[in-house]
């Protein structure tokens, strides 16, 4: 089994069941998420995030919000 890849800036992630956000920044090793209508917030454990679409996939779909 290969190690799980951590999300990168620009990736769309699931942070809770059915809840999506975009990883907007990584500051001092702490990822920050943003979702429409919600202020940016830090995630203490990035291993809890599941990448749904990478930044590249979002770019290909012209889906930047």
């Amino acid at each position: 089994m290969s190690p799980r890849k951590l999300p990168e800036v620009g990736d769309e992630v699931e942070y809770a069941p059915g809840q999506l956000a975009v990883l907007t920044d990584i500051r001092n090793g702490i990822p920050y998420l943003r979702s429409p209508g919600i202020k940016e917030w830090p995630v203490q454990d990035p291993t809890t995030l599941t990448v749904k679409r990478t930044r590249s996939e979002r770019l290909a779909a012209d889906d930047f919000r």
Side-chain angles (χ1 to χ4, degrees), residues 4-25:
R4 185 173 173 179
K5 181 181 175 249
L6 292 176
E8 298 176 357
V9 172
D11 290 350
E12 181 180 63
V13 299
E14 185 175 55
Y15 60 91
Q19 300 297 309
L20 300 177
V22 174
L23 195 149
T24 58
D25 199 1

Side-chain angles (χ1 to χ4, degrees), residues 44-63:
Q44 295 304 316
D45 185 2
T47 64
T48 63
L49 303 174
T50 302
V51 176
K52 291 302 190 180
R53 291 188 302 160
T54 64
R55 181 179 189 275
S56 298
E57 292 168 332
R58 293 180 63 231
L59 277 169
D62 196 29
D63 181 28

